Amino acid sequence: MKRRTFLKHSSLAAASTTAIAACTPKPTTESEPASTPAQPFVRWRMATSWPKSLNFTFGTAEQLCQRVSRLTNGRFAITPYAAGEIVSGLEVLAAIEAGTVECGHTASYYYVDRLPALAFATTVPFGLNAQQQNAWLQAGGGLALIQNLYADWGIINFPGGSTGAQMGGWFKTEVDTLDDLKGLKMRIPGLGGQVMARLGMEVQVLPGDQIFDALDQGKLDAAEWVGPHDDEQLGLNRVAPFYYSPGWWEPGTTYEFQVNLAEWQKLPSEYREAFEVAASEAHNQMLANYDAANGQALQRLLFGGTELREFSPEILQAAQNITFELYEDKASQDSTFKQIYQQWKAFRSQVYQWHRVNEFGFVSFPFKTINP
């Protein structure tokens, strides 16, 4: 595979700093353990794609940093920064590659313009739900494939939280037919945005902290973010009345921790293990947080006047057809995409067949009979 490189902005490169202070131990105090060659003091910065107001996404970055510090008795300290504090929410990967920061918390599908196959690490339209995505990444060979891609840029990644299936977003007008979508300006990232573009929408990619203003000022007609909890925190219900489901383009969105590979390799093995343990714990906690909070948030939104809608079968069928046409087009033009897609597609087929028997076989009855 040819090495791919990103454009490195001079401002990023100039800001690059070294974080490991093993050669210059800090003075010790009674409350602070001594630095040793085997356990040096390490100070990293983590850029994120999230505003601090999003306590589940930015909070996941904070959780990892706090856990790493505890596991290393304070010797390995990572400070998380909100989107815009060091770089914008869509420039995290470039900042890590350039060495501006040592690590980050972001979503790979923000960078599909650079490499479309990265979308599979986060989520793709009509793809895998959270449980299935975990299975593909952690037991189905997916993570190894994605890490091989990132290695070409001097980065290593780890799963960093899941939102579960997302909502279909906020619209200022109702969209019942395919014609209703045409010409609308919508914030939607990843391959889902490319499908929407083929359906006639004008697609934009904005970080979370810019969505409200864009909707409020009429720069957008629609926008999606995550689900009721986060969308309420961003105030999207105050600028668009119609809330659609399902988020067919994000059935199991998975964020990730990205680390500069050179800095990773400098770490003592104990610190690398602490980071991986903390990442795994944070990854699991995020989905639990969303599943516990989204139902209550949705009820608040509905009580406040939000009108819940479902995408029509016409829209869903057209979107699914275009999705797999898009995959085949990209696979025919991009050998890297083809490699990931074919392996992922085989896994998807297998896990769908199994979950049709066990998962769907169960939920199809109680979900139909539950009281609204």
Side-chain angles (χ1 to χ4, degrees), residues 96-111:
I96 298 167
E97 187 193 23
T100 303
V101 294
E102 293 79 16
C103 61
H105 190 223
T106 186
S108 67
Y109 67 179
Y110 290 154
Y111 315 105

Side-chain angles (χ1 to χ4, degrees), residues 191-252:
L191 298 185
Q194 295 182 27
V195 173
M196 282 299 203
R198 292 193 178 195
L199 288 173
M201 301 192 77
E202 297 181 22
V203 171
Q204 299 181 29
V205 180
L206 298 174
D209 57 341
Q210 297 178 22
I211 298 174
F212 177 90
D213 288 342
L215 271 173
D216 190 40
Q217 296 167 11
K219 297 176 181 178
L220 292 174
D221 303 304
E224 61 81 50
W225 178 244
V226 173
H229 175 270
D230 279 12
D231 294 359
E232 181 185 42
Q233 288 190 324
L234 290 181
L236 303 185
N237 56 302
R238 294 190 279 118
V239 285
F242 301 106
Y243 200 21
Y244 274 81
S245 72
W248 47 265
W249 52 84
E250 299 202 35

Side-chain angles (χ1 to χ4, degrees), residues 5-65:
T5 58
F6 292 139
L7 293 176
K8 298 181 175 63
H9 301 291
S10 58
S11 59
L12 294 181
S16 180
T17 58
T18 299
I20 295 185
C23 298
T24 56
K26 295 173 58 178
T28 61
T29 66
E30 291 183 0
S31 61
E32 188 176 70
S35 175
T36 69
Q39 295 183 320
F41 287 109
V42 177
R43 300 293 179 262
W44 278 10
R45 298 193 301 170
M46 175 183 286
T48 77
S49 294
W50 332 116
K52 289 183 179 179
S53 61
L54 296 178
N55 59 317
F56 289 167
T57 46
F58 188 78
T60 296
E62 291 181 310
Q63 179 183 340
L64 175 134
C65 298

